[in-house]
Amino acid sequence: MDPQGLKDRIRNLLRDNGIVDFGVADADSWETDPLVSSRVQVGCRPKDIMPDAKSVVVFGIPIQNTILDTAPSIYYNHLYGVVNNMLDQVGERIALELLALDHHAIYIPRDGYHGIVGLKQRPDSFFSHRHSAYLAGLGNFGYNNMLLTPRNGPRIRFTSVITDAEIPADSPMEGKLCIGCLKCTRQCPVAAVPDKHYPEGIVDKKLCVGNSERLSKEGISPCGRCIAICPIGKDRITGPTDDAVSAIRVYRKPI
């Protein structure tokens, strides 16, 4: 199959699963892109995982605003798990399709760490999907260090499939989406979000993980406030009413 035909085939498979946010990064760009090479350490790059890697397929699933606006809550906690599980399953489906076409391919788990315990020991996963999505042209970074996208701002989660297939690569998005409104900085309950653009401003992961640990004990992690408050994204043109959010927050904590 020709490279563009392969890319179209993957796009169609993703669309069959309701996924429209999709891009491809060149596996070499982890070494050549200044932002990514400075932030993603050696050992956590595609060719460290698969030495013959040529392409990284990246796709994302949006977080539903009406649920996110209740965060931190049981409702958002459940959605978070459902989205992560779906990303893993579809990632493996894409990898299997590439394997069936005689390519080497592996999906990378959505969260490459052992929960809160793992994050406290090492505040990074073994592979950064947000940097992968940046290189695939799906968005760029905000003050909250999350990837902002034109359609959903930071309210989207990504995963990646590494392959030796040569698939036409996309380029990083030009121009910043973040408007520097500082809403995420002010909204953070533990003051972990910086007041500078990434990568100059880095989230205090010790504070963030500490907050997640506290919420986890209540069954309502993750926090989600810095992505819920962000005004970037077409999905934020309209949103739920205050009355609707209040009604849903009945389910905020365990009974």
Side-chain angles (χ1 to χ4, degrees):
M1 182 177 294
D2 69 276
Q4 185 58 51
L6 181 56
K7 187 172 186 178
D8 291 340
R9 183 166 184 150
I10 293 170
R11 189 190 310 278
N12 290 335
L13 279 172
L14 290 170
R15 191 67 190 88
D16 288 344
N17 284 275
I19 296 171
V20 297
D21 295 282
F22 157 65
V24 177
D26 186 326
D28 288 329
S29 56
W30 271 255
E31 280 68 49
T32 59
D33 184 273
L35 186 154
V36 175
S37 62
S38 68
R39 294 303 306 168
V40 178
Q41 62 184 328
V42 173
C44 299
R45 302 175 182 180
K47 291 196 171 183
D48 299 320
I49 300 169
M50 181 191 291
D52 58 348
K54 292 184 175 64
S55 308
V56 180
V57 174
V58 191
F59 59 91
I61 297 177
I63 298 294
Q64 298 175 41
N65 273 329
T66 303
I67 300 176
L68 176 60
D69 284 340
T70 71
S73 66
I74 294 174
Y75 205 173
Y76 178 47
N77 171 275
H78 185 76
L79 175 68
Y80 195 84
V82 168
V83 169
N84 281 357
N85 183 264
M86 185 175 178
L87 285 167
D88 283 348
Q89 290 193 44
V90 177
E92 174 65 355
R93 174 67 183 86
I94 297 300
L96 288 173
E97 184 70 16
L98 288 164
L99 289 168
L101 295 171
D102 297 324
H103 297 292
H104 188 194
I106 53 171
Y107 93 96
I108 305 297
R110 173 41 257 182
D111 285 337
Y113 54 85
H114 179 51
I116 298 297
V117 174
L119 280 175
K120 290 178 71 176
Q121 295 173 347
R122 175 179 170 175
D124 295 303
S125 63
F126 72 87
F127 189 84
S128 172
H129 297 293
R130 61 189 174 128
H131 288 94
S132 186
Y134 161 77
L135 290 171
L138 294 173
N140 47 48
F141 295 95
Y143 276 41
N144 58 8
N145 291 194
M146 303 297 291
L147 195 82
L148 309 186
T149 64
R151 191 197 310 271
N152 297 101
R155 293 167 293 278
I156 182 169
R157 292 183 65 71
F158 296 100
T159 201
S160 310
V161 177
I162 302 173
T163 179
D164 65 357
E166 292 188 2
I167 305 172
D170 300 290
S171 301
M173 185 180 295
E174 296 182 1
K176 285 187 178 294
L177 292 174
C178 179
I179 59 174
C181 66
L182 295 178
K183 288 185 176 181
C184 58
T185 301
R186 299 189 187 102
Q187 182 79 182
C188 180
V190 292
V193 179
D195 59 358
K196 295 180 181 178
H197 277 291
Y198 181 85
E200 289 77 20
I202 302 295
V203 165
D204 188 323
K205 293 183 178 179
K206 184 176 181 180
L207 292 175
C208 185
V209 171
N211 186 48
S212 292
E213 182 177 34
R214 178 183 64 80
L215 294 172
S216 182
K217 291 176 181 178
E218 298 182 42
I220 56 171
S221 65
C223 171
R225 296 316 308 158
C226 70
I227 66 172
I229 197 66
C230 180
I232 300 301
K234 294 179 180 178
D235 65 333
R236 273 307 186 199
I237 294 174
T238 60
T241 65
D242 291 341
D243 287 343
V245 171
S246 296
I248 293 170
R249 277 190 173 148
V250 170
Y251 300 97
R252 184 173 183 220
K253 293 188 177 182
I255 297 174

